Amino acid sequence: MGKGGKTMASSARPRIRQRTKRIAYVNQKGGVGKTTWTINVGAAAAELGARVLIREMDPQANSASSVEPEDGEYTMNDVMRPEEETGEVVPGSLGSAIRRTGKQWPGGLWIVPAELALASRENDNGPGAPRERRLQIVSEGVLDPFDLVLTDCPPNVGQLTINALADSDEAHIVTSPTKWGVEGSHQAHRTIRMVQRHHNADLIFGGVWVNMYQTAGKNGRVESRTRVAELRAAEHFTGKIHDPIVHDMEVIRRAAGASVPLSAYGNDKDATEAAAIFRGIAERALND
């Protein structure tokens, strides 16, 4: 895809939103299913007819591993690397790193893949544009053709996450109902508040999605129930815990491991149920 999105624009379906919506999925804790969440929401939105871009800010590059994008010359690391002499990044350069996802994924789903070297960008400093705005600068003029831009943040609250939040309309926390997941959610919320104060006054805190809820019997396991209750009791999360709470479903991991969307994972009843859940979440992301 060339700079400015000409390749994508010439082959994708018409837009379904008047304005591009940018959502960042965040948590300070890893292992909460944030990346799987991002690609499932993205795939569901594309299946609904949207043009969707995933910006992968996690150096582990698990999103790219799952959606198996076409080969390309550039990654998120390349466009986020500042020039040595000036400390600047190139406006609109993100367009050169956008790739189609694999043939098994919906045609409207695109990605800017990460790589391990992206972790080095956490330490970039020096002259030029503020390092918190580099993702915003490289994305200039590139996101307009998309209905939905989903940014998969790394499992920390460093500069890569701050860049993602500084160039998003909404920040959503994805967490597992565990001690460390809940603590990571609180830390992520503090970071969101900091970015609102200093870098992006228009950023909306979109709430908390509980993922990987452990079920046993009618009301779920004690640990999961306890942690969800803790989230609901936190003043800054009042009224911000979304439904549905997504149960820990093996089929979600299997589909990700097979690098296919849930909707294409055979005739598995659980896959159909999981696909319907993420379709509903995608509809809310597109319509709210």
Side-chain angles (χ1 to χ4, degrees):
M1 176 173 176
K3 183 176 177 180
K6 293 182 180 179
T7 301
M8 190 283 297
S10 65
S11 60
R13 64 202 76 181
R15 291 192 58 175
I16 64 174
R17 282 180 56 89
Q18 293 184 345
R19 179 179 178 274
T20 303
K21 185 175 185 179
R22 301 163 299 162
I23 298 176
Y25 289 119
V26 61
N27 196 316
Q28 189 271 341
K29 175 71 175 65
V32 299
K34 176 174 50 57
T35 293
T36 304
W37 187 281
T38 303
I39 61 176
N40 283 329
V41 173
E47 289 168 352
L48 289 167
R51 300 177 177 183
V52 184
L53 175 66
I54 295 174
R55 294 189 296 187
E56 187 171 37
M57 294 296 281
D58 186 346
Q60 297 175 93
N62 291 329
S63 288
S65 176
S66 294
V67 301
E68 297 183 335
E70 63 184 3
D71 292 336
E73 185 175 356
Y74 302 108
T75 69
M76 183 65 77
N77 175 58
D78 295 312
V79 299
M80 288 287 289
R81 183 190 297 117
E83 298 285 345
E84 291 185 7
E85 293 184 1
T86 65
E88 299 284 357
V89 292
V90 179
S93 58
L94 191 82
S96 65
I98 296 177
R99 306 186 197 176
R100 294 177 181 273
T101 54
K103 293 181 179 179
Q104 68 275 32
W105 294 85
L109 183 64
W110 303 73
I111 187 169
V112 176
E115 59 177 328
L116 286 174
L118 180 61
S120 300
R121 307 282 70 80
E122 291 279 10
N123 301 316
D124 288 334
N125 213 331
R131 61 178 184 167
E132 298 87 0
R133 293 188 57 243
R134 284 172 179 156
L135 180 62
Q136 179 184 358
I137 293 169
V138 302
S139 297
E140 286 180 5
V142 175
L143 307 183
D144 293 345
F146 295 97
D147 298 293
L148 192 62
V149 176
L150 305 178
T151 305
D152 182 19
C153 297
N156 59 56
V157 288
Q159 284 303 314
L160 294 175
T161 295
I162 291 172
N163 265 264
L165 296 174
D167 192 44
S168 292
D169 302 307
E170 298 180 7
H172 292 234
I173 295 171
V174 177
T175 189
S176 60
T178 60
K179 174 180 173 62
W180 306 120
V182 170
E183 290 186 358
S185 298
H186 293 308
Q187 178 60 52
H189 184 262
R190 287 191 287 271
T191 301
I192 292 167
R193 292 294 303 275
M194 182 274 291
V195 171
Q196 289 172 323
R197 287 194 300 270
H198 300 293
H199 306 297
N200 185 359
D202 295 325
L203 179 66
I204 296 170
F205 171 47
V208 180
W209 295 97
V210 179
N211 190 31
M212 304 168 67
Y213 186 92
Q214 296 284 333
T215 57
K218 181 178 180 180
N219 297 317
R221 293 184 180 174
V222 171
E223 173 70 4
S224 289
R225 295 201 312 270
T226 299
R227 300 308 176 187
V228 171
E230 289 176 354
L231 287 167
R232 294 190 189 278
E235 183 176 356
H236 48 273
F237 291 153
T238 299
K240 291 289 188 177
I241 310 301
H242 289 297
D243 289 321
I245 289 175
V246 178
H247 293 175
D248 186 26
M249 303 174 70
E250 177 65 23
V251 70
I252 295 176
R253 287 187 289 273
R254 294 205 310 267
S259 298
V260 296
L262 287 163
S263 60
Y265 198 72
N267 296 318
D268 188 297
K269 178 182 177 182
D270 289 340
T272 301
E273 178 185 348
I277 290 171
F278 282 101
R279 188 177 305 114
I281 295 169
E283 287 175 346
R284 290 170 63 175
L286 290 168
N287 295 324
D288 286 354

